[in-house]
Amino acid sequence: MPFISKDWRSPGEAWVKTDEGWEKKKVLENSKMIKSKNTDDESGMEKEGTLQPHCQITIKCTKEIAGFNELDEVVKRLDFRNAVKDVRRFNYICALLDLLIGQQMTALSGCAQKALLAMLEEVACHVAKSHHNPRSFRKLLAKLRALSSAEKSAYWGAPLGSQLLWDQHSIKINKIFKLAAQMQICEKDYQPHLLQLPEECIREIILRLSDHRDLQASSQTCDTMANIVSEQRVWRELTKFHFTNQQIQMALDKDNFHGDWKTLFNSLKRTYGLTEELQYAEMLSLCKYCRCLFWRSLGHPCIADQSPEFRERLQKAGGPMPPSPVPPSAFLKFFSL
């Protein structure tokens, strides 16, 4: 039954037509505020107060709240496009795009598809400009090529979705491919170069890598890196970073350990997998009181901070509970995908 008036059942949303299609007015206004804030920051004219991108979501549907979360709205409210430029959030955004770009993307709404391609275009522009994290972008590019080929597959002689929508997607995809073709990773004229540093300094850099794939790639560059990566200390520290002492001790007791920490790391990885939360410098968090998603470093306007009475009740109950980390796989569970 269509809504004939604004009542407790109606969302009461106002929509505005833009060049990219119809947008919710409140989401559009929020995006303009964030864009204005970022422009002021870049020009050195930051306004008073800190804008905190956040988005309240529906955790559980009830009779009173028969709601759902719209992926494109949440992405815009959390300012994902500008988050690409933050080195702490880049890997998180790429991991999310990696889960979505592919066959699953054809099942998303048109607005969500446009939002994701806009994020991917932002990733392409950022990598082409900064020359940082090209490996993550190439992985996304391979999935995008597969998606572009799948788009040409026909059901009853036409691609999934409207022809106009996919024509717009094709223009965006071709633009991303063009950026990728023009991208050249050139060696910066920095002094000294990495391999000119003392071996002790190179070792300290290697010890701060949290991804085993980066260690393996580093070992293939030169003999010096290969010798450092083969040291037991490097794999021991990586093992302690990803696994608890209890897990390590259980593996030591179970396996006949001969001092090979690389073998032990691979064994633990097969058994427990890698802790997803430890792979990102910055993650989304979920407030247990406001039901808001927010970036951990930026915070959000929480009821626990704004209401003295609520804060007092929390103190009597044992203090406020920390927000829950939300890795990319958990983030997608908030949507009907």
Side-chain angles (χ1 to χ4, degrees), residues 190-310:
Y190 293 145
Q191 294 293 337
H193 295 288
L194 176 62
L195 296 179
Q196 294 175 341
L197 295 173
E199 187 174 310
E200 293 79 7
C201 295
I202 299 177
R203 182 177 292 103
E204 290 301 319
I205 295 173
I206 293 296
L207 285 170
R208 282 158 176 77
L209 296 178
S210 60
D211 194 330
H212 65 286
R213 296 171 298 181
D214 291 333
L215 290 179
Q216 295 169 351
S218 300
S219 66
Q220 299 172 4
T221 58
C222 63
D223 293 338
T224 301
M225 300 289 279
N227 292 333
I228 294 175
V229 171
S230 65
E231 294 177 359
Q232 292 300 320
R233 178 190 174 190
V234 173
W235 291 96
R236 182 187 67 204
E237 296 301 321
L238 186 67
T239 302
K240 291 182 177 179
F241 178 79
H242 282 284
F243 305 103
T244 64
N245 292 332
Q246 183 180 6
Q247 291 172 337
I248 295 173
Q249 190 59 48
M250 289 177 62
L252 290 175
D253 296 338
K254 180 180 178 181
D255 300 333
N256 191 10
F257 181 64
H258 297 289
D260 189 349
W261 283 93
K262 182 177 180 179
T263 301
L264 183 65
F265 172 83
N266 290 326
S267 176
L268 288 167
K269 181 166 67 72
R270 288 192 299 269
T271 304
Y272 301 105
L274 299 180
T275 305
E276 192 172 4
E277 289 85 350
L278 297 177
Q279 300 179 34
Y280 309 105
E282 174 74 42
M283 290 182 59
L284 286 176
S285 294
L286 175 65
C287 177
K288 299 179 180 179
Y289 307 116
C290 301
R291 296 294 185 265
C292 277
L293 287 173
F294 64 96
W295 293 107
R296 185 181 303 169
S297 62
L298 299 180
H300 74 294
C302 182
I303 185 176
D305 299 325
Q306 297 175 347
S307 174
E309 295 180 0
F310 186 76

Side-chain angles (χ1 to χ4, degrees), residues 123-194:
V123 170
C125 293
H126 176 70
V127 173
K129 182 178 179 180
S130 65
H131 296 170
H132 291 165
N133 297 295
R135 185 182 68 184
S136 300
F137 175 60
R138 292 193 185 102
K139 184 178 179 181
L140 295 175
L141 201 63
K143 284 202 167 188
L144 188 64
R145 288 196 175 96
L147 175 66
S148 182
S149 300
E151 172 209 341
K152 299 175 183 178
S153 301
Y155 279 84
W156 297 288
L160 292 173
S162 70
Q163 187 61 49
L164 177 60
L165 176 67
W166 280 105
D167 287 344
Q168 294 173 351
H169 289 349
S170 297
I171 294 174
K172 184 83 69 175
I173 290 172
N174 290 333
K175 184 178 180 180
I176 294 172
F177 286 156
K178 185 177 180 180
L179 284 171
Q182 295 174 348
M183 185 176 65
Q184 294 182 352
I185 306 299
C186 303
E187 184 178 356
K188 301 287 185 178
D189 189 19
Y190 293 145
Q191 294 293 337
H193 295 288
L194 176 62

